[in-house]
């Protein structure tokens, strides 16, 4: 518990997601919502973002955790990815200065 908030922490570099867990996390959302196209690893790959289907992105996320937008936070079943502190604070129910 931190700042009065109970949470479960997962280091997905050490405990990677499998395809089924990733699909459960995403629900009906596209993996594009959590894929970090700005990651140095992706930029070095030379892959054209537009050429990737959701299945490709899911496979890539399973194989390479550096492709995730981090952190990924799930609050009351709603997923938030990335470091937008204001949006995350709103989802957690508190204001950030």
């Amino acid at each position: 518990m931190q700042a009065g908030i109970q949470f479960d922490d997962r280091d997905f570099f050490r405990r990677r997601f499998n395809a089924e867990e990733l699909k459960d996390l995403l629900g009906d959302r596209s993996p594009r919502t959590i894929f970090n196209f700005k990651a140095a690893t992706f930029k070095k790959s030379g892959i054209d973002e537009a050429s990737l289907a959701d299945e490709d992105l899911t496979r890539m996320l399973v194989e390479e955790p550096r492709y995730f937008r981090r952190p990924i936070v799930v609050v009351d079943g709603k997923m938030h990815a990335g470091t937008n502190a204001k949006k995350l604070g709103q989802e957690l129910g508190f204001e950030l200065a």
Side-chain angles (χ1 to χ4, degrees):
M1 182 173 293
Q2 216 170 36
I5 299 170
Q6 180 67 39
F7 67 93
D8 295 317
D9 185 25
R10 178 177 183 158
D11 180 344
F12 42 88
F13 285 90
R14 290 194 174 124
R15 205 174 112 225
R16 294 184 179 194
F17 287 96
N18 62 42
E20 185 175 321
E21 289 174 313
L22 193 54
K23 288 176 184 178
D24 287 344
L25 176 69
L26 288 165
D28 62 352
R29 293 174 296 273
S30 167
R32 290 182 186 282
T33 61
I34 62 171
F35 198 97
N36 184 1
F37 292 101
K38 295 179 181 178
T41 307
F42 181 74
K43 287 181 177 183
K44 288 179 188 176
S45 74
I47 299 171
D48 176 26
E49 173 184 341
S51 71
L52 296 169
D54 282 358
E55 295 79 23
D56 300 320
L57 295 171
T58 298
R59 177 185 46 77
M60 292 171 74
L61 287 163
V62 167
E63 293 172 0
E64 178 53 75
R66 287 180 186 90
Y67 290 147
F68 279 90
R69 286 180 51 213
R70 298 183 304 270
I72 293 182
V73 179
V74 180
V75 179
D76 295 331
K78 185 177 179 185
M79 184 189 63
H80 172 77
T83 57
N84 184 329
K86 183 175 181 179
K87 184 174 179 182
L88 181 57
Q90 289 171 343
E91 290 184 22
L92 292 173
F94 58 87
E95 289 288 322
L96 297 174

